[in-house]
Amino acid sequence: MVDVLIIGAGPAGAVAAGLLAKHGYSVRVLERQKFPRFSIGESLLAQSIELIDLAGMLEPVMSAGFQFKNGAAFVRGSEYSEYNFADKSSPGPMSTFQVPRAEFDKVLADAASAMGADIRYEIEITAADFSGTPTLTGKDAAGQVERHEARFVLDASGFGRTLPRLLKLDRPANFPVRAALFTHIRDHIPAGEFDRQKIRVTIHPEQHDIWYWLIPFSDGRSSLGVVARDETLQAIKGSNEERLWTLVRQDPGLAGLLKAATPVNPVNELRGYAASVSSLHGPGFALLGNAAEFLDPVFSSGVTIALKSAHLAAAALHRQLSGRTVDWQAEFAEPLLAGVETFRGFVNTWYDGTLQDIFFYDKQHPKIRRMICSILAGYAWDGNNQYHGPTTEKRLRILREAIRA
């Protein structure tokens, strides 16, 4: 028996493991895959750097040679708008990285291991029992079944959503069903034609709820993807490769940038990715990152939410394992959801065009622009920002009406 079992060695699991191991707890991480492994969510936000630093993992990340990132660029036809994170209103780091997640996640996992966490790869969790001592049943790569007991379990399984699935905690997300096609390419974009220090978000010239990401890495590769309603993507015929490039060719600017691109990986598809749960915690467990809530990839919020949830959960669990009483709703769920609701407001207003109109308005008030830039940089928990929390969506709609007036 250990103090803490963590499901998943991605960013949330690795950071939670490192933080708890530093406090002297015995921590075992059970990861279904073998690292390094492919994952999306490759454009980090500046808030992530602060959270990585607080976990004591910044040095290996800084030494890994990842692509420097200083902001985000949005393109809609001939319109162009960029946000530089240095212009944000919130305190904290002003830059971050764009990372192949296979390498980035392994850097964090190795750092957690160096801090004392026991990480075991290729262990698939098949059952969970919280009727007494929290117990997970797992199966290793050879098919051997094993039981793991702990004082507490953190689920950081990402899109695997282990405990929501096993404990029937899933609930429908309040988003239309969307899907993404994505791959890695050698972009071969000539120097000067593209700001490699920013993610480029391109809006489809006719259907403004379709958008593309282009995330450059430091080695000449880029991550390329497109997001649309599921029925829109399924209506396009052909292989995943053919469907992705059919959509890319529909935007002349993006197609021109990528005219010399060559493939690195096959094109993958992810459908119905938005997820929610009935509760972020229960007796003996808590849910971190994408295992609990995943909104949409448009603002690259996934890793930031994952890291924030790891810090909140590790702090609450340290207090509990030290013998103090913890209100998990007040001390974990509610603080976490304040930032999630901020990002939710941005996602909702992105797809109905509200936020796009704000981005491309050329007379933005400098103070408002700085506050919006802070959210784009990941500072969604800054209570001094008027575009933070459950009123975010309402305030953004009021701002667009003022622009229209």
Side-chain angles (χ1 to χ4, degrees), residues 293-314:
E293 295 270 349
F294 184 75
L295 303 175
D296 193 90
V298 62
F299 298 117
S300 306
S301 61
V303 172
T304 300
I305 292 172
L307 296 177
K308 184 68 173 182
S309 70
H311 277 271
L312 290 169

Side-chain angles (χ1 to χ4, degrees), residues 53-129:
D53 190 18
L54 290 171
M57 297 179 175
L58 186 57
E59 183 176 347
V61 171
M62 295 287 287
S63 302
F66 295 128
Q67 171 66 51
F68 177 83
K69 175 187 174 184
N70 63 11
F74 299 91
V75 184
R76 185 173 67 182
S78 61
E79 297 175 288
Y80 179 89
S81 178
E82 65 177 38
Y83 284 81
N84 293 298
F85 294 161
D87 298 331
K88 63 184 175 57
S89 60
S90 305
M94 298 181 291
S95 61
T96 182
F97 297 103
Q98 309 203 118
V99 298
R101 285 286 300 279
E103 293 114 60
F104 173 74
D105 288 12
K106 189 172 189 307
V107 167
L108 294 186
D110 288 348
S113 182
M115 292 174 176
D118 173 21
I119 301 183
R120 303 185 183 185
Y121 294 97
E122 297 184 281
I123 305 292
E124 180 184 3
I125 305 304
T126 58
D129 183 359

